Amino acid sequence: MQKILVTGGLGYIGSHTVVELQNTGFEVIIIDNLSNSSLDVIEGITNITKSSPVFVKLDLRFKKDVEQFFDQHNDIEGIIHFAASKSVGESIENPLLYYENNLNTLIYLLKECKKHRINNLIFSSSCTVYGEPDSLPITEDAPVKKAISPYGNTKQISEEIISDMCSVSELKSISLRYFNPIGAHSSAEIGELPIGVPQNLVPFITQTAVGLRDYLSIFGNDYPTPDGTCIRDYIHVVDLAKAHVVALQRLLINKMNIPLEIFNVGTGRGCSVLEIVNAFEKVTDQKLNYKIVDRRSGDVVAVYADIQKANEILGWKSERTMEEALSSAWKWEQKIRNL
Ligand code: NAD
Ligand code: WQD
């Protein structure tokens, strides 16, 4: 069995990816500092896959600890690097936290990759690198616009750092630019666990429906879109997790055309905020309290992926519907509130 290191593997996307990796036959070792996750996630993963991943509690900001980890684990064949801070708003308030956590950790990992000749790396990038697109759907060669937040900037810089390392070492990397991941595993054993007030749409909806929030604020209905609300490409987290497995397999069998390949990971379909709200009401058969409020600063009007490249080269496309994603998110929310 090939051993894969998953950093941030107890987080939202990481945990779903660990499940898919284990189900495909990979041996997984997780590093996480639990800054945005909990040890219970290991139980959830184990219940689904009937196999427990190895877990090492470690903060990747501590270089000595990272070095020690790699000195003790010399049989890692690939790394999927999820660990990062991900709140756009928090990054504007506290940029250094983001530059430190998202860039130093990557640099320390890359040093160890070079030292231990680990040449396969998957990086969690984001559609945020595109900013406000000039045309839709957005392809991977669309220009990367000046980032509107330090968070977005860390993703742009990370891709550049990886690219630079690919050209001077044996490193091969795939950068996956995720669109908007939503939903949970169908078993409701794992899902998204936002700390505090959720920033993202779907966890805010499920927390409102469960009674934790009075109402959902819809940020603006005067955008130049058919119903006036913003458009995004919402992808089921299980489909996203599966994209990591096929990308990893491509790296491991060395089928890369160039040392750094970049893929959009979305559904290719744009969906408005009101469409999400209406679909949620339909799949859960209940009314959702919401109010239209002012626009949220920094929101782009519309963004959705061109997924042809991932489809043709990775042989991957999303399979689950937005309704399935919303229904799984709702099942997960009810489970964690003991309903
Ligand atoms: P998450 O916060 O649920 O998971 C990240 C995990 O990394 C957490 O478990 C956290 O405890 C851990 N972590 C953070 N800093 C660490 C450190 N210094 N050392 C060790 N562990 C650390 O986030 P997620 O939604 O699963 O996102 C995973 C990755 O995907 C991130 O890189 C994020 O930027 C990227 N991404 C997320 C989205 C999204 O909407 N969720 C979209 C695009 C890209
Ligand atoms: C989706 C839509 C909001 C909350 C963010 C990051 C991006 C990426 C994915 C990491 C928007 C609207 C939201 C609410 C609302 N993450 N909304 N009321 O902003 O597309 O992307 O997560 O890389 O970098 O910016 O996602 O879920 O916050 O918002 O009306 O309470 O829902 O205006 O149109 P976003 P989101």
Side-chain angles (χ1 to χ4, degrees), residues 182-322:
I182 60 168
H185 195 267
S186 59
S187 62
E189 290 285 350
I190 53 172
E192 194 167 4
L193 276 171
I195 292 175
V197 180
Q199 310 292 306
N200 294 118
L201 178 63
V202 171
F204 205 105
I205 288 178
T206 55
Q207 288 199 6
T208 306
V210 90
L212 280 177
R213 316 271 156 216
D214 291 339
Y215 60 89
L216 166 76
S217 298
I218 293 184
F219 300 135
N221 68 349
D222 56 353
Y223 284 98
T225 62
D227 65 21
T229 63
C230 291
I231 289 175
R232 297 287 181 273
D233 185 336
Y234 296 93
I235 173 154
H236 197 304
V237 67
V238 173
D239 282 331
L240 173 57
K242 286 175 183 287
H244 292 78
V245 177
V246 291
L248 179 69
Q249 286 166 332
R250 179 173 173 80
L251 277 173
L252 292 172
I253 58 172
N254 209 350
K255 276 185 81 177
M256 309 276 287
N257 297 325
I258 47 169
L260 170 60
E261 292 181 342
I262 294 176
F263 295 97
N264 285 340
V265 188
T267 65
R269 290 182 300 278
C271 178
S272 76
V273 178
L274 275 174
E275 280 177 277
I276 289 278
V277 168
N278 293 336
F280 182 82
E281 290 186 331
K282 204 165 166 199
V283 296
T284 61
D285 197 23
Q286 61 176 317
K287 281 268 154 235
L288 185 79
N289 268 342
Y290 68 83
K291 288 184 189 169
I292 308 291
V293 302
D294 288 346
R295 292 180 177 196
R296 179 173 71 176
S297 112
D299 272 340
V300 301
V301 180
V303 60
Y304 50 94
D306 186 313
I307 48 158
Q308 198 182 343
K309 187 175 174 191
N311 197 345
E312 283 176 4
I313 297 180
L314 293 178
W316 172 92
K317 65 176 167 40
S318 67
E319 288 169 353
R320 289 156 185 77
T321 62
M322 178 255 278

